[in-house]
Amino acid sequence: MTEATNGNKKPSPSKKFRVGNMTKTPRERAEELVSRMTLEQKIAQLHGGMETINIYGYSNEIDPEDEHAMEQLAAQIQIERHVPEIEELGIPRFRITNGPVGVGMGDGTPSPPATALPMTIGVAASFDPELAHQYGDIIGQETSDLGQHVLEGPGLCLHRTVTAGRNFEYFSEDPYLTGVMGVEVTKAIQDHDIIAMAKHFVVNDQEYERFRTNIEVDEQTLRELYLLPFEMAVKDGEVAAIMSAYNRVRGDYATENRYLLNDVLRGDWGFEGYVQSDFWSTRSCAASLNAGLDHEMPDAKWFNEDNITAALEDTSTEIELIDRALVRRYTQMFRFNQFDKPYNPVEIDAEGHGAIVRKIGADMAVLLKNSSSLLPLSPDAGTILIVGQSKFAEFACQGGGGSSKVDPLYTVDPEPGLKDVVAELGGSASVSSFIVERDLSNVDEAVSAASSADVVIVMAGLIATEGADMPSMTMPHKQNEMIAKLLPANSKTVVVLKSSAPMVMPWTDDASTILEVWNQGVEDGHVVGDLLFGKVNPSGRVPTTYPKTVEDWIGHGHEERYPGINLGEGYNTMTYSERLEMGYRSPDITPAFPFGYGLSYTTFSLSDVSVSGSASGIQVSANVTNTGSVDGKDVVQVYLGIPSEGQPAKRLVGFAKVFVAAGQSEKMEISIDAEASSHPLSVWDVAAHDFVVPSGEFTVYVGHDVTDDSNVSTFTV
């Protein structure tokens, strides 16, 4: 290759290029840098620095319960995540780490330890944007501490099916809740001069055959549900990067989908960042570059010298598109001062971050049942027995298999965590454990031990993983059978769930007390102890509907929805034939616990509810009164019924989390702007190619979950 290929002179190796005038804008500096690069240098910067391997299909047949196979997958993905430096141009080694539940597999093998945070689904369960910001702040700080430039997160796909393997790293089934939380996490990460990367764009809502599956979804559903959180992240969070998905969308791979990567992302939303492939999701050279893919990771399987040179020679791509891709990425690097920041990793504040994680982890927990008022426990409760299988009852439940798994700096296991809390409260209760084998071979002994304890804490759950969907909506390893056997043994039994996603629990009616804490990460034992003994009053809410039976899911009786149908093309096509009736919007599902639901150790009431609405928005105010004897936080939710054919009965359009002291009242106000990026009053009009507020009577519901019809009002547009 010659210098004439690009028309640029190669800078002298002895003279390091100073990367742009500091008085120029980030884009101007990026353009100046690219103008000085040779074609060889440009190609070297279009892709990751890993040696190319063949990953396609590797994870398609993995059994999520095969721990050895999952460890192999994790090892395969734990690699050098970077773009090599070009010293003479002042381009640093570009270091990329995975998220979104902490600093996962970053540049360097093995990846450095970090704080393993609670799963993202728990962030949504908090219904607290401030908590989401604190969560992102820890991630951004630790990414910076470890000298990385990019954090691959937040994950903004929706919980379309409860069995999806990556639900733990996505927020919710609701696009608005997902978007609000995703925006706050994005802002917090980028406050540390770290590039946040929203993923996986788009409809990567399942892991089944993710390298091959095609998704067919109508435009209105795509816009109102699955694209909406990404639109909010672009417009409100100013996210710097987007990661494209593995799957096909309407026949074209997401990495080759010009409509999504160019027309929607840049044309409709004004996105100015860059698009990176998911690892090995790139499937072509020219087609991907032309569509708007800017960066291939983790290797150069497609964006390599031979392919790009050939594409330039036969004009299937153009040098301007290569320049465009680099300018987009370098603009964001200049935006966050990444060219001028030296590589200087520092020690993570494990203790300080752990204290924050302990606090926010408890604020995510959802109290599902407390019918006998067993909780909170007294620290003098006598003998307390923890019972369950090892992953949940013996060790801290970190959750999240696959590339997002964090190597924790430390962990607090259940028994020592509960003992710490008892000691902190000056209590006399004793805490011990009985670990049940996965095959339940010693469950009778567990039942006997439970019957002689004063209080029993059954710990159970599921840990989902990237690369494979869960085989069913039930807990693995016969845990439902285990719980059913344990419940009759002791009337003072608390079931603590540590879950990556909601699940079917056939024993629910027999349990008086159920607390969902999610996969908690490093502070597991302390968080659970704080909740059980009342140091923290639970205030989380259900972010994704809990199904009542195994038939209550989107694929039941609809093979075309999941796992899809082979239409003679060699791969399955999943058709989102349910359209907008997904999650709580479906009239066909009777939930065990509905969206937005959650109890407290106190009670709340709403009074003086006032609603005014027009085409420009909605104003809601109410008095929230704590009618109990314990301080707590209430979550007031606003749902809207929209007068347009095909719309579900309700959509979430606003919420507020309010702290109210025992016996006191607080005034709460929620303002919903019709022009907001979430389009709260609008429906997608295909003919207008825009969101439009329809005419007619709108119904406003103000309450404590999606089923609460205690405060209903209307207004007409």
Side-chain angles (χ1 to χ4, degrees):
M1 214 176 289
T2 66
E3 293 177 6
T5 306
N6 186 22
N8 298 327
K9 293 183 178 180
K10 186 173 182 178
S12 169
S14 61
K15 295 182 179 179
K16 182 177 178 180
F17 171 62
R18 305 310 302 173
V19 284
N21 188 323
M22 293 292 289
T23 63
K24 293 184 177 180
T25 66
R27 182 175 181 85
E28 289 171 339
R29 296 180 73 187
E31 289 172 342
E32 180 184 356
L33 174 57
V34 172
S35 73
R36 293 174 175 263
M37 298 174 71
T38 66
L39 181 58
E40 294 95 328
Q41 291 170 330
K42 291 177 181 179
I43 295 172
Q45 286 284 298
L46 285 174
H47 56 78
M50 179 188 170
E51 182 179 350
T52 298
I53 64 172
N54 183 14
I55 191 68
Y56 300 141
Y58 181 83
S59 64
N60 289 339
E61 303 299 329
I62 290 180
D63 178 354
E65 296 186 26
D66 184 340
E67 293 184 7
H68 178 67
M70 296 316 302
E71 288 173 0
Q72 285 186 316
L73 174 61
Q76 192 83 337
I77 298 171
Q78 183 169 328
I79 52 178
E80 299 267 336
R81 292 171 172 257
H82 72 276
V83 181
E85 68 277 9
I86 301 180
E87 186 175 351
E88 62 266 31
L89 291 176
I91 299 174
R93 180 184 177 105
F94 190 53
R95 303 174 186 273
I96 303 167
T97 187
N98 202 19
V101 295
V103 183
M105 295 179 180
D107 181 45
T109 304
S111 298
T115 302
L117 290 134
M119 300 299 97
T120 306
I121 186 175
V123 178
S126 75
F127 274 71
D128 186 347
E130 291 184 11
L131 182 149
H133 198 94
Q134 290 179 300
Y135 186 90
D137 186 62
I138 291 176
I139 297 173
Q141 181 63 62
E142 294 194 1
T143 305
S144 177
D145 289 345
L146 295 173
Q148 309 288 298
H149 298 103
V150 181
L151 187 287
E152 294 172 330
L156 300 179
C157 292
L158 301 185
H159 298 172
R160 175 177 177 260
T161 172
V162 180
T163 59
R166 298 187 91 159
N167 280 350
F168 70 90
E169 57 179 282
Y170 299 148
F171 291 94
S172 167
E173 68 186 11
D174 182 75
Y176 175 68
L177 178 60
T178 295
V180 169
M181 298 302 182
V183 165
E184 291 304 315
V185 171
T186 296
K187 287 179 177 179
I189 291 171
Q190 295 188 165
D191 282 347
H192 293 274
D193 282 348
I194 298 297
I195 291 172
M197 183 177 289
K199 63 184 185 182
H200 304 89
F201 194 69
V202 66
V203 288
N204 189 176
D205 307 309
Q206 51 276 313
E207 293 295 277
Y208 178 79
E209 292 282 353
R210 63 179 179 170
F211 287 111
R212 304 170 65 202
T213 298
N214 176 47
I215 305 299
E216 288 293 336
V217 55
D218 68 275
E219 188 70 11
Q220 182 180 12
T221 301
L222 187 64
R223 293 281 185 163
E224 292 185 19
L225 293 184
Y226 300 100
L227 285 174
L228 192 65
F230 290 94
E231 181 176 359
M232 294 172 69
V234 168
K235 293 181 176 179
D236 299 339
E238 297 183 355
V239 68
I242 296 285
M243 179 186 285
S244 63
Y246 286 116
N247 50 278
R248 295 173 168 94
V249 184
R250 297 171 180 164
D252 293 329
Y253 275 110
T255 47
E256 300 173 348
N257 200 305
R258 179 178 170 83
Y259 176 69
L260 292 171
L261 298 186
N262 184 74
D263 300 359
V264 173
L265 191 55
R266 299 186 185 280
D268 294 342
W269 301 346
F271 177 63
E272 295 183 351
Y274 72 96
V275 178
Q276 176 195 294
S277 73
D278 201 342
F279 280 37
W280 303 284
S281 70
T282 309
R283 294 307 186 104
S284 63
C285 177
S288 297
L289 272 170
N290 297 349
L293 183 68
D294 303 308
H295 187 209
E296 179 181 13
M297 283 297 289
D299 54 20
K301 180 176 177 63
W302 292 101
F303 287 8
N304 58 54
E305 189 168 317
D306 291 342
N307 288 343
I308 289 180
T309 301
L312 289 171
E313 290 176 352
D314 67 15
T315 69
S316 56
T317 196
E318 304 290 342
I319 189 64
E320 287 81 2
L321 298 180
I322 294 170
D323 291 352
R324 179 184 73 179
L326 293 172
V327 167
R328 286 171 174 172
R329 180 162 66 85
Y330 292 154
T331 297
Q332 300 308 311
M333 293 175 67
F334 280 121
R335 172 188 171 191
F336 295 114
N337 196 37
Q338 293 180 347
F339 281 91
D340 304 303
K341 184 178 180 180
Y343 178 64
N344 183 31
V346 298
E347 185 177 353
I348 288 173
D349 180 8
E351 183 178 352
H353 290 178
I356 298 170
V357 168
R358 179 174 178 176
K359 177 182 179 299
I360 66 177
D363 280 344
M364 301 173 181
V366 184
L367 183 60
L368 296 174
K369 288 189 72 176
N370 196 25
S371 57
S372 63
S373 299
L374 179 57
L375 294 181
L377 299 174
S378 166
D380 300 313
T383 58
I384 299 174
L385 180 68
I386 299 170
V387 183
Q389 296 179 7
S390 180
K391 278 197 171 183
F392 307 100
E394 185 176 9
F395 299 112
C397 185
Q398 298 176 57
S403 62
S404 64
K405 190 172 181 63
V406 179
D407 180 12
L409 288 161
Y410 71 94
T411 56
V412 179
D413 295 330
E415 183 178 319
L418 266 64
K419 287 179 176 178
D420 285 347
V421 176
V422 169
E424 290 166 4
L425 294 171
S428 60
S430 64
V431 181
S432 60
S433 303
F434 188 103
I435 304 305
V436 180
E437 299 298 330
R438 282 186 172 183
D439 62 2
L440 304 192
S441 58
N442 63 342
V443 71
D444 291 340
E445 291 92 327
V447 170
S448 177
S451 65
S452 60
D454 291 316
V455 178
V456 177
I457 312 296
V458 178
M459 296 187 179
L462 62 87
I463 300 173
T465 185
E466 174 186 1
D469 291 336
M470 293 173 282
S472 73
M473 296 191 297
T474 59
M475 290 182 285
H477 308 300
K478 303 179 180 180
Q479 289 181 89
N480 281 329
E481 182 181 340
M482 176 192 76
I483 295 172
K485 287 179 177 292
L486 286 165
L487 285 173
N490 195 314
S491 61
K492 292 186 176 181
T493 297
V494 180
V495 179
V496 174
L497 299 173
K498 300 180 177 182
S499 314
S500 296
M503 53 213 169
V504 172
M505 300 171 288
W507 42 264
T508 301
D509 291 342
D510 299 323
S512 69
T513 316
I514 308 174
L515 178 67
E516 173 68 86
V517 301
W518 316 107
N519 301 154
Q520 271 291 329
V522 294
E523 283 287 329
D524 180 307
H526 286 153
V527 168
V528 174
D530 288 344
L531 292 159
L532 293 178
F533 293 104
K535 287 190 71 175
V536 178
N537 188 350
S539 61
R541 299 294 185 265
V542 170
T544 295
T545 304
Y546 279 76
K548 193 173 185 66
T549 70
V550 293
E551 288 78 24
D552 288 322
W553 81 302
I554 213 158
H556 181 68
H558 292 278
E559 185 182 3
E560 83 282 359
R561 296 179 182 175
Y562 185 94
I565 298 173
N566 188 335
L567 302 176
E569 298 170 296
Y571 51 81
N572 280 16
T573 289
M574 295 185 196
T575 302
Y576 287 26
S577 59
E578 73 280 0
R579 302 194 68 184
L580 298 173
E581 294 182 347
M582 183 270 285
Y584 70 82
R585 303 173 187 227
S586 172
D588 301 326
I589 294 177
T590 302
F593 300 103
F595 179 86
Y597 168 86
L599 301 175
S600 170
Y601 295 153
T602 189
T603 52
F604 298 95
S605 67
L606 294 180
S607 62
D608 299 325
V609 177
S610 173
V611 177
S612 62
S614 68
S616 61
I618 305 170
Q619 301 295 321
V620 178
S621 65
N623 284 326
V624 184
T625 301
N626 184 334
T627 56
S629 58
V630 180
D631 295 350
K633 297 176 182 177
D634 192 20
V635 179
V636 181
Q637 301 158 45
V638 182
Y639 296 87
L640 189 62
I642 295 181
S644 180
E645 184 178 357
Q647 287 292 313
K650 298 178 181 180
R651 70 161 68 159
L652 181 70
V653 294
F655 59 88
K657 196 164 193 175
V658 186
F659 173 82
V660 189
Q664 301 298 308
S665 296
E666 295 290 339
K667 180 74 173 290
M668 178 279 311
E669 295 182 347
I670 298 175
S671 180
I672 300 162
D673 183 1
E675 296 298 317
S677 63
S678 58
H679 309 288
L681 276 66
S682 300
V683 299
W684 179 259
D685 187 313
V686 175
H689 193 77
D690 202 356
F691 280 93
V692 175
V693 178
S695 299
E697 185 178 76
F698 289 73
T699 306
V700 183
Y701 305 84
V702 181
H704 288 107
D705 63 60
V706 71
T707 66
D708 186 353
D709 294 340
S710 58
N711 297 284
V712 182
S713 60
T714 61
F715 67 91
T716 301
V717 173

